Amino acid sequence: MKKIEISRTLPVTERADIIVCGAGPAGWVAAVAAARQGCDVLLADRYGFPGGTAVAGYVLPVSGFYLGGRRVAGDIAFEFAKRMEAAGAALFEMPKGNISFDPEYYKVIAGRMLCEAGVRFASNVFITGCITEDGPDGRRITALTAAGKSGYEAFEGRIFIDATGDGDICAAAGVPMQPEDAARQPLSLCFALTGVDTSTDLLKDSIHHDGKGGKGSQNNTVREFLLNEPDVPDFCGPWFNTSVSGGTVVVNVTRADCDALDRRAYAAAEAKLREDMLLIVGKLKKAFPEFRDCAVAASAVNAGVRETRRIKGRYTMTGDDLLSGRIPVCPVAACAHPVDIHARAGAGQTLIRLTSPGYIPYASLVAEGFPNLIAAGRCISADPEAFASARVQGTCMTVGEAAGKAAAFCAGRDIGTVYADREGFVPGTADV
């Protein structure tokens, strides 16, 4: 492959105590958590709004908030959900505890919380890499490089939080990664339909993921229809979900196996998924009166990614840790969602429900030899089984809150490290 060498001198346009990369569920919550501790926080994201795939990708509902009727999600996530509910933009689907929401209100209310906390939001920028220096305590990030409409620039910081989902900053810094999972979970492109009749038995209950009476969230009537259609491509579910306001129904049904870190493969998969979306909607319109007058109102900006990179942390959370309910010295988040593994091909899914919360240790958020870098969201250190529960939004928001508080603790005391003991946190700070 031909290569071109480029040398640039970049202007340092931003400086902060803590820089959070990625404004998805983990990232924007991490930024709020750190800023509320008095830190100067910069949040950087490629989109012009907070929420990431949750809103750009129509990922409804927020899962992982409750288990057995008991809330396990973090305080900031709960505060956000209650503020959404007060605005008429969220439904607590009890007893299961999923949170249905209006994506447009999500953007605004999350944005308000960032503004109130004093977070500076560098939107519409793409983080291209990082600048590091090696020292006696390991490799430190000194700055991030970014690109946007203003050109190339650099952001200097003291502590960095990688909430990119794909572990982009960790990878750029050289953090070792978990081996690729042979059963890597596939992509899905969610979309919104208008004009759906949700008053009949087909949909009136299945658009609410509340679990009442032991009811599952998958619509088995539509699933059986799709399974018997010979030209329907690989799919999942399907799951239909209310978007709270108006008559819009959000659909999760498409599926494609793809390495989302391969730009060309990802582009091809997205094109296929959009074709699949129209094919499936066309079949629903013909087969079910409830969909006869429906139309695709919007589709995800990008295909939703379930699984890419996960760091090799100071501790790797395992499926056994999760399912046993083992509590580490410093638990930072509790998993409530089932182990949920989507098959790479076909319409299959492995689902193992939890009987008690599974706990994520702080040591799964940090890697040996990288003293000012914390991972948050789905790139934390977990094996495939533990990851299959921990990857959902409610858990990612809680991990983000922990990462933000830990970063603020380190920045505020100028201790210069985010390291944990293998099963704990910096000595004397187990309450973080």
Side-chain angles (χ1 to χ4, degrees):
M1 178 184 294
K2 181 180 179 180
K3 294 184 179 181
I4 299 174
E5 184 175 340
I6 298 176
S7 177
R8 291 183 183 275
T9 300
L10 305 183
V12 177
T13 58
E14 302 281 358
R15 292 183 176 86
D17 294 329
I18 297 165
I19 299 181
V20 184
C21 305
W28 79 259
V29 172
V32 169
R36 286 182 177 180
Q37 300 298 311
C39 291
D40 179 26
V41 180
L42 180 73
L43 174 64
D45 195 81
R46 60 176 172 155
Y47 295 135
F49 47 81
T53 301
V55 290
Y58 290 97
V59 183
L60 277 71
V62 177
S63 300
F65 246 72
Y66 287 82
L67 183 63
R70 172 173 159 257
R71 176 170 69 91
V72 299
D75 292 340
I76 293 176
F78 185 67
E79 174 191 342
F80 168 69
K82 294 300 288 185
R83 289 177 68 161
M84 291 274 283
E85 182 185 44
L91 290 175
F92 282 69
E93 304 275 18
M94 302 301 291
K96 199 170 184 179
N98 291 314
I99 313 294
S100 295
F101 63 90
D102 182 314
E104 297 307 318
Y105 273 84
Y106 186 126
K107 297 174 186 176
V108 173
I109 293 176
R112 288 175 186 168
M113 292 177 69
L114 288 167
C115 186
E116 291 163 4
V119 176
R120 291 180 286 130
F121 187 21
S123 62
N124 298 295
V125 296
F126 192 88
I127 303 300
T128 59
C130 61
I131 299 169
T132 62
E133 58 182 27
D134 292 332
D137 59 351
R139 179 172 298 169
R140 289 178 168 273
I141 299 175
T142 59
L144 302 177
T145 58
K149 293 295 184 181
S150 298
Y152 292 91
E153 51 194 319
F155 304 155
E156 288 187 341
R158 294 166 58 200
I159 308 289
F160 296 83
I161 298 176
D162 185 341
T164 61
D166 296 322
D168 292 338
I169 309 309
C170 291
V175 174
M177 296 292 164
Q178 301 283 341
E180 183 180 337
D181 181 8
R184 177 191 63 225
Q185 297 199 50
L187 310 176
S188 285
L189 183 89
C190 297
F191 54 92
L193 292 178
T194 56
V196 179
D197 180 1
T198 60
S199 66
T200 73
D201 289 342
L202 180 69
L203 293 174
K204 68 180 182 180
D205 293 327
S206 66
I207 62 170
H208 297 286
H209 296 190
D210 50 34
K212 288 179 180 176
K215 174 175 64 68
S217 56
Q218 182 174 272
N219 190 301
N220 289 321
T221 301
V222 177
R223 178 179 176 82
E224 288 302 314
F225 163 73
L226 293 174
L227 285 172
N228 287 299
E229 288 290 293
D231 58 339
V232 169
D234 289 350
F235 72 94
C236 56
W239 298 279
F240 302 97
N241 202 86
T242 177
S243 61
V244 181
S245 58
T248 302
V249 173
V250 173
V251 187
N252 181 355
V253 64
T254 63
R255 172 179 285 178
D257 177 35
C258 171
D259 177 3
L261 300 178
D262 182 326
R263 175 180 63 80
R264 292 175 179 81
Y266 188 46
E270 287 190 306
K272 175 188 179 299
L273 287 169
R274 296 188 193 282
E275 293 284 358
D276 294 350
M277 172 186 69
L278 294 183
L279 185 151
I280 290 171
V281 170
K283 287 185 173 292
L284 297 182
K285 287 169 70 73
K286 291 180 180 179
F288 298 98
E290 290 84 356
F291 293 97
R292 184 174 298 133
D293 298 321
C294 78
V296 177
S299 62
V301 173
N302 294 112
V305 178
R306 290 187 176 90
E307 183 173 9
T308 50
R309 302 185 188 100
R310 298 190 304 282
I311 67 167
K312 282 187 178 179
R314 289 176 64 88
Y315 184 81
T316 297
M317 183 185 179
T318 68
D320 183 63
D321 293 334
L322 175 81
L323 295 172
S324 68
R326 174 175 173 266
I327 302 177
V329 171
C330 185
V332 295
C335 297
H337 194 72
V339 174
D340 183 8
I341 302 174
H342 293 248
R344 291 178 75 160
Q349 179 188 20
T350 298
L351 202 66
I352 305 172
R353 301 193 183 280
L354 306 186
T355 56
S356 61
Y359 294 94
I360 299 173
Y362 178 78
S364 290
L365 279 60
V366 292
E368 189 77 47
F370 296 85
N372 68 338
L373 177 60
I374 307 176
R378 63 178 174 83
C379 61
I380 65 171
S381 186
D383 74 6
E385 191 173 45
F387 165 78
S389 171
R391 66 182 175 81
V392 299
Q393 290 181 62
T395 308
C396 286
M397 295 171 88
T398 307
V399 170
E401 181 172 348
K405 288 180 177 179
F409 177 91
C410 296
R413 288 159 179 77
D414 199 27
I415 60 177
T417 181
V418 294
Y419 276 164
D421 293 333
R422 188 163 298 280
E423 292 292 328
F425 185 54
V426 179
T429 65
D431 60 329
V432 174

